[in-house]
Every structure is written in structure tokens, then in C-alpha cells.
Amino acid sequence: MKEQSPINFWGIGAQKAGTSWLYYNLSKAPGFAIPPVKEFHYFDRDTKYPSPNKLSETKVKDRINNLAYLKKAARAIMSSLLKGKMKHVAFNFKWFFSDYSDEWYISIFAPFKGIKGEITPSYSMLTKEDISRMYAMAPNAKLVLMLRNPIDRAWSHFRHTKKRIKGFTLNNIEESDIIAFMQSEGQELRSDYVRTINNFTSDFPKEQLLIGFFDAIMDAPEQLLEEVIQFISSNIESEEEFKKSWNVDDSAIKKVVNKSIELDCPPAVLAIIREKYHDMSLDLANQYGGYFNKWYFENYGKHSENKDDRLFPTIRIS
């Protein structure tokens, strides 16, 4: 399986940290072959994870009795047909009408030619056991972890959950319910950056992990995207040919993708989140400086021991 794996990279999170922006731009980047589904949720499909688990029903025979499921499949297939995207038609047939397995997961990338991978932010929550499955499947795959100020990420996560509620305001919810959300497993696991880094580097070599920063989408989007692309495409035979063809799409790189609704965080909630992420924020700032330092100062008005305030769009860990 290792030698045959077509997977070159995984985007492993974090949610509300720029993964939709990354998917949108990699989909338009020359040399990349990105499937028409952003979040596969394959490795987090077990119901033990607080995620959509949309692939948890393994057998196709257990899914096709659901009328809503069949309508969704028909819409996806028809949309691809009308656009003349026959590879996407084949993808959707395989996606909706197959039994799910590791062999299925690998085969679904087969029709695409180029640099292949997928981005599922919930992978940041994975246990070491499921990360070991990823490593066994594609031991040379690059990992991209997009990070955001954990306080901002947590609040954006909450706002995202209310995005589809028409006319939602903070008057529609008790403050205690917001606090309960902040203390929920799904929120805490997605914001535990140290756990994510440690779990993935327990199997994957550290040099295969790149950390990108949400802030850089505003500060230096071209450099951020170029560094991610160069990282993913390194060690690929057509790397030089690919780099020659690389040309940033200004309209895409500046596009706001999957924006949450605007709400101001209540002071009591903000105080709880600040306390929750103080120690992790300080540890990361002390170790790596840069944007971690910026976040620590913004959140706590104090400086870490690390004096390196240079704001690099991406970093490698050591």
C-alpha cells in the first residue's frame, strides 16, 4: 500500500483557521488535482469523534434507503455533468455508491492527475491510532496545519455553528450555553494545538509538517500560499516544471471563504477562554515566537521569553 499511495498531502486543520481559503486556492493552483469535496472526514468517521461522521455508515446498502441521501447524490452528479466535469462525475458515483474502506479511500484519488490530497480540519482531533493509519497509507505525505489565535478560533467556531440560523443574535442564547460550548470536547480538541502537533509527529517525521498562520492570509497571502505549495510539491518529480507554471490568482487569494457571522464575544465568555488557553499560548510563544508571540501579547498584554517577533507566514517545528 505504501508504494502505491497517490496521496501527496493532507490538510489536518485547524477548523476556522483558513482551511477553506487553502482549499479554494489549491483547487486553482496549477499542478494540483484537488477532489470536488473539501472535507472527506474519512479518518474521523468513527462516531467517537465530535465531527460530522458523514462516512460512518460503511455499507452502501445501508445508505441508499435514505431519500435525502439519494437526492444529494443526484444533485452532485447532475451538477458535474452540466459542467462537463466527467472526472467529478466518476468521483461522485464512487463517493456516494461505494462501501467505504482504506482501499476505497486510496482509489478515489486515482482519476486525478497532479499533486493529490484532501483537507479535513477535523483531522486535528485524531487519536494516535488513527494517525498511524494515515501514516501506513501514505508515509511520505506532507501535512499542513493552519493555526489561528486560539481565542479567536474558539469564538469563530461558535459563530460558525450559528451561521445557518436566520437572524441569530446573542439574545437567542444563554451565556451559560456559550460557556458550555467552549468547554465541549469538540471545541477543546480543535483548539489543542500542542496535542495535534505531538500526535501527528509521533508517526510522521517533523520535517513533513508545516504550520501556516491564519493571520498571514491578511498580512502576506501570496507568500503564505507559495510557501505551502513549495512545501507540498517538494520531492515531487515535476517540482521545477510546476514552479515555472505557478502564478498567483489575485482574485482567489484575496477571497474571503466560509466566513462566520459577526458577533461580539461576551466579556465573561472571553475571560474564560483567555484563562483556558493561557498556558498553551505561553508555551508556544516561548518555543516558536513569531505569530505565537503576537497572539500572546494581544490576548494577555505580556511578552513571552522568546524575543523573536518576526512574522513568518509558515514555520517548521523542531
Side-chain angles (χ1 to χ4, degrees):
M1 184 178 291
K2 291 182 181 180
E3 292 77 8
Q4 298 174 352
S5 176
I7 300 162
N8 303 117
F9 78 95
W10 278 295
I12 58 173
Q15 187 184 33
K16 306 311 298 177
T19 57
S20 293
W21 175 89
L22 185 62
Y23 173 83
Y24 184 84
N25 283 284
L26 290 183
S27 296
K28 294 178 175 295
F32 277 75
I34 307 299
V37 170
K38 179 205 167 197
E39 300 185 17
F40 276 35
H41 288 286
Y42 179 70
F43 294 100
D44 63 317
R45 70 194 190 97
D46 193 300
T47 54
K48 69 185 178 186
Y49 291 111
S51 64
N53 311 121
K54 59 187 179 181
L55 302 187
S56 58
E57 204 71 76
T58 296
K59 298 294 184 181
V60 65
K61 66 180 178 63
D62 297 325
R63 285 180 260 128
I64 58 175
N65 293 325
N66 186 316
L67 183 59
Y69 182 85
L70 292 175
K71 286 181 177 179
K72 185 177 180 180
R75 283 195 301 269
I77 293 166
M78 185 58 65
S79 175
S80 298
L81 276 171
L82 292 174
K83 294 174 183 176
K85 296 183 176 181
M86 301 313 295
K87 286 183 180 179
H88 288 186
V89 172
F91 173 93
N92 282 312
F93 268 109
K94 187 176 283 263
W95 179 264
F96 287 103
F97 300 114
S98 299
D99 292 344
Y100 301 136
S101 66
D102 286 357
E103 290 72 23
W104 165 85
Y105 179 83
I106 290 173
S107 71
I108 208 165
F109 293 91
F112 299 92
K113 303 300 180 185
I115 299 171
K116 304 175 187 180
E118 58 115 340
I119 300 173
T120 300
S122 296
Y123 290 168
S124 64
M125 301 189 295
L126 292 179
T127 62
K128 290 183 179 180
E129 179 184 9
D130 285 318
I131 291 168
S132 294
R133 287 179 56 222
M134 295 176 75
Y135 181 74
M137 187 179 290
N140 297 317
K142 302 295 182 62
L143 307 172
V144 179
L145 175 63
M146 296 292 294
L147 295 184
R148 181 178 185 174
N149 182 325
I151 293 173
D152 293 343
R153 195 221 71 80
W155 183 239
S156 181
H157 185 182
F158 170 79
R159 291 186 286 123
H160 179 73
T161 65
K162 307 304 177 185
K163 185 176 181 179
R164 299 188 187 280
I165 302 177
K166 187 176 180 179
F168 178 85
T169 72
L170 293 180
N171 294 326
N172 304 131
I173 191 170
E174 296 292 331
E175 200 168 86
S176 59
D177 292 331
I178 303 176
I179 293 170
F181 173 86
M182 294 304 167
Q183 295 172 339
S184 67
E185 182 185 24
Q187 194 291 117
E188 290 184 338
L189 283 174
R190 287 173 168 88
S191 293
D192 194 344
Y193 302 157
V194 172
R195 174 187 176 276
T196 297
I197 292 168
N198 288 342
N199 278 0
F200 273 91
T201 56
S202 67
D203 274 297
F204 288 88
K206 289 181 178 180
E207 58 267 23
Q208 288 174 223
L209 172 65
L210 184 75
I211 293 175
F213 293 96
F214 176 85
D215 310 55
I217 295 174
M218 295 299 297
D219 296 345
E222 294 89 352
Q223 186 180 350
L224 170 62
L225 186 58
E226 186 168 349
E227 288 181 11
V228 170
I229 285 174
Q230 288 179 349
F231 171 74
I232 294 172
S233 63
S234 64
N235 301 327
I236 294 174
E237 290 181 5
S238 58
E239 178 186 359
E240 289 306 315
E241 198 173 299
F242 165 77
K243 287 180 180 177
K244 287 178 187 176
S245 68
W246 168 241
N247 183 28
V248 173
D249 180 345
D250 266 349
S251 63
I253 205 167
K254 295 176 181 176
K255 184 179 177 68
V256 177
V257 184
N258 201 22
K259 186 177 181 180
S260 301
I261 60 173
E262 296 293 336
L263 295 169
D264 292 329
C265 186
V269 176
L270 183 58
I272 288 172
I273 311 174
R274 280 177 173 161
E275 182 179 0
K276 178 185 287 289
Y277 293 112
H278 175 271
D279 291 352
M280 182 186 77
S281 297
L282 180 57
D283 288 346
L284 290 168
N286 282 336
Q287 189 165 3
Y288 301 111
Y291 276 112
F292 294 117
N293 262 346
K294 178 176 180 284
W295 298 345
Y296 187 69
F297 184 77
E298 287 175 349
N299 294 336
Y300 307 104
K302 297 183 288 187
H303 295 282
S304 73
E305 296 172 359
N306 191 323
K307 304 304 180 186
D308 188 354
D309 289 326
R310 293 174 296 173
L311 301 179
F312 298 112
T314 66
I315 63 168
R316 309 282 188 93
I317 65 171
S318 58

